[in-house]
Amino acid sequence: LSSHTLDVMKLRVLSRSEEEMTRETSTELLRQHQTHDPLAHPFERAREYTRALTATKLDKVLARPFVGALSGHADGVFCLTRSRASLNILASGACDGEIRVWNVPYQRTQTVLPKAHSGFVRGLASGSSGDTLFSCGDDKCVKMWRFSSGESMEGEEGEEGEEGEPLQTFLGSSVFLSLDHHWNEPLFATSGVCVDVWDESRTDPIHSFEWGTATTHRVLFNPVETNVLAACTSDRAVVLYDLRTQSAAHKVVLKMRSNAVAWNPLEAFNFTVANEDHNLYSFDMRKMDRALCVHEDHVSAVLDVDYAPTGREFVSGSYDRTIRIFKYNQGHSHEVFHTKRMQRVFTVKFSADAKYVFCGSDDTNIRLWKANPSEPVGVLNPREKRKLNYANKLKERFRHMPEVRRIARHHHLPKAIFRANKFHDAMQASQRRKETNRRKHQGAKAETPVSRRMKAIVKT
């Protein structure tokens, strides 16, 4: 033997039994052996970043948000509501007094009520059980219809596809501008000169709420705290009422008028209002002296807002002819939908499964969009599901990387909206620069900067 020390070489032997490696059938997949030790994969993060970047790019390439259009109205679509008992049924009201009930999977009309109201159909709401439909209009009437989840909606003697008589009519002393139904009890609320709460078995309102002389143009029940309802008034205020105390609970006044309000279905205290100043504001009703979040991106007045049943995102429709989807806690939209022919968007609704978005516009059409534009439609096999889940986890993990964030936030916009966005950004930058210079030159006398979440609030 040599006097030198012998080097010891380590060998790692793979030992696998034949039973584990042999397939029982020719269609069975081969078993894949993986090492989860991070030291054995030094380039794992680099590879996963590349895959996340590729998945983000593919989302933009494969995005096909538009599903179809429901056409049939002769005038602009002013309000929408979905059935609380069925995923397939949608009701729409037009500016000429017509109400249509749609079968969404087949994209066809089930029932037409040509003269449901004289003038605008101002509001639609599904009953708590889902088998009745309530509508109000310029004729000072609230009408209750049979809201069937089958092939037709009919009144007492109506036939399929034809106009039927309403089950009941409630007469008011002034024009009703909106209505909403209680989630558990046979009660509904209307807005106009004041907020009235009605019982389905009575012809007169059982409660009336008013705060000042302003007209109330939107009212909505809380889906969790069902005795609380929110109202938007013409004096730029958002008012909360409580049916238990039969009085107003709180009021906040903004700089500009709020057109619509939507409650978060999972967070009972939070709601979002759509404002005339191009923004949406989320509030906690327990502390309304500041907004929880300011959602911006629209370039014109926001006309409607609606939360997804998951409570994690909401959709807004604007006078700038676009609809946008926001995360409930983010200030900028992650999706924007538009077409050349779509005009001013009066109303928007999420589907009950949170996968689709409906919008009604001034061009007489109801459009159906996918909430996730790149999500495949149809049945997926297990391997496709695993691949999609893996890609989503990668995008979530690397969402803060500059390149991934830039691609995810990029949207193609119409030229007019793109220019308006640039103009709006320049105005805001100029205002910030002016305020900064003023504070520099005023020194100790300078005013304390006001948070953006408090700027829009006048008083509470």
Side-chain angles (χ1 to χ4, degrees), residues 276-279 296-302 318-322 324 413 416-425:
E276 286 278 347
D277 64 358
H278 312 174
N279 298 330
E296 53 187 9
D297 271 346
H298 284 293
V299 297
S300 190
V302 188
S318 173
Y319 199 75
D320 61 9
R321 298 175 294 180
T322 64
R324 293 179 181 267
L413 296 173
I417 296 176
F418 180 77
R419 290 175 179 173
N421 263 329
K422 291 184 65 176
F423 182 73
H424 185 64
D425 292 343

Side-chain angles (χ1 to χ4, degrees), residues 353-371:
D353 58 358
K355 291 186 177 181
Y356 298 96
V357 172
F358 306 98
C359 70
S361 58
D362 200 19
D363 60 356
T364 75
N365 286 323
I366 302 169
R367 289 178 173 84
L368 176 62
W369 310 82
K370 290 194 295 184

Side-chain angles (χ1 to χ4, degrees), residues 152-185:
S152 66
M153 183 192 74
E154 54 189 20
E156 293 178 344
E157 298 179 355
E159 298 179 358
E160 179 180 347
E162 296 182 359
E163 180 182 4
E165 293 297 325
L167 300 177
Q168 194 169 353
T169 302
F170 306 87
L171 299 178
S173 58
S174 60
V175 174
F176 297 115
L177 299 181
S178 72
L179 87 161
D180 190 39
H181 199 280
H182 197 279
W183 285 83
N184 300 325
E185 301 177 9

Side-chain angles (χ1 to χ4, degrees), residues 61-241:
V61 172
L62 302 177
R64 297 292 185 271
F66 183 70
V67 177
L70 308 178
S71 58
H73 282 292
D75 207 338
V77 181
F78 195 77
C79 52
L80 293 173
T81 190
R82 62 175 184 263
S83 172
R84 295 180 181 177
S86 175
L87 284 173
N88 302 337
I89 306 301
L90 178 75
S92 60
C95 298
D96 59 356
E98 181 185 68
I99 294 177
R100 283 179 178 260
V101 179
W102 305 87
N103 189 315
V104 177
Y106 293 97
Q107 298 185 19
R108 64 179 178 85
T109 304
Q110 279 193 181
T111 307
V112 183
L113 304 172
K115 298 296 182 182
H117 293 275
S118 58
F120 279 41
V121 179
R122 295 288 180 176
L124 290 173
S126 173
S128 56
S129 60
D131 58 355
T132 53
L133 174 68
F134 292 81
S135 64
C136 67
D138 288 346
D139 53 2
K140 305 179 183 180
C141 293
V142 175
K143 297 183 180 181
M144 182 172 66
W145 311 86
R146 177 68 62 189
F147 203 179
S148 174
S149 60
E151 289 298 322
S152 66
M153 183 192 74
E154 54 189 20
E156 293 178 344
E157 298 179 355
E159 298 179 358
E160 179 180 347
E162 296 182 359
E163 180 182 4
E165 293 297 325
L167 300 177
Q168 194 169 353
T169 302
F170 306 87
L171 299 178
S173 58
S174 60
V175 174
F176 297 115
L177 299 181
S178 72
L179 87 161
D180 190 39
H181 199 280
H182 197 279
W183 285 83
N184 300 325
E185 301 177 9
L187 304 175
F188 64 93
T190 59
S191 65
V193 176
C194 60
V195 176
D196 295 325
V197 179
W198 305 69
D199 192 317
E200 294 181 9
S201 59
R202 300 186 180 183
T203 57
D204 294 324
I206 58 176
H207 301 302
S208 291
F209 303 103
E210 56 183 338
W211 193 327
T213 59
T215 301
T216 305
H217 54 268
R218 186 61 67 95
V219 65
L220 192 70
F221 276 101
N222 190 324
V224 182
E225 293 289 338
T226 54
N227 291 313
V228 178
L229 54 91
C232 299
T233 61
S234 58
D235 62 351
R236 302 167 294 148
V238 179
V239 188
L240 302 180
Y241 298 102

Side-chain angles (χ1 to χ4, degrees), residues 401-460:
M401 300 299 290
E403 194 69 12
V404 175
R405 185 172 67 247
R406 182 187 66 82
I407 296 173
R409 291 187 59 182
H410 176 73
H411 300 290
H412 290 286
L413 296 173
K415 189 177 295 184
I417 296 176
F418 180 77
R419 290 175 179 173
N421 263 329
K422 291 184 65 176
F423 182 73
H424 185 64
D425 292 343
M427 288 179 57
Q428 286 188 331
S430 175
Q431 291 174 359
R432 288 193 297 267
R433 186 168 57 250
K434 184 176 181 180
E435 292 176 359
T436 302
N437 292 338
R438 182 184 292 115
R439 286 195 298 270
K440 284 181 180 179
H441 291 286
Q442 288 180 350
K445 298 180 181 180
E447 297 180 357
T448 305
V450 180
S451 170
R452 182 169 177 79
R453 299 183 179 185
M454 301 177 66
K455 280 185 178 180
I457 299 175
V458 177
K459 64 178 181 178
T460 57

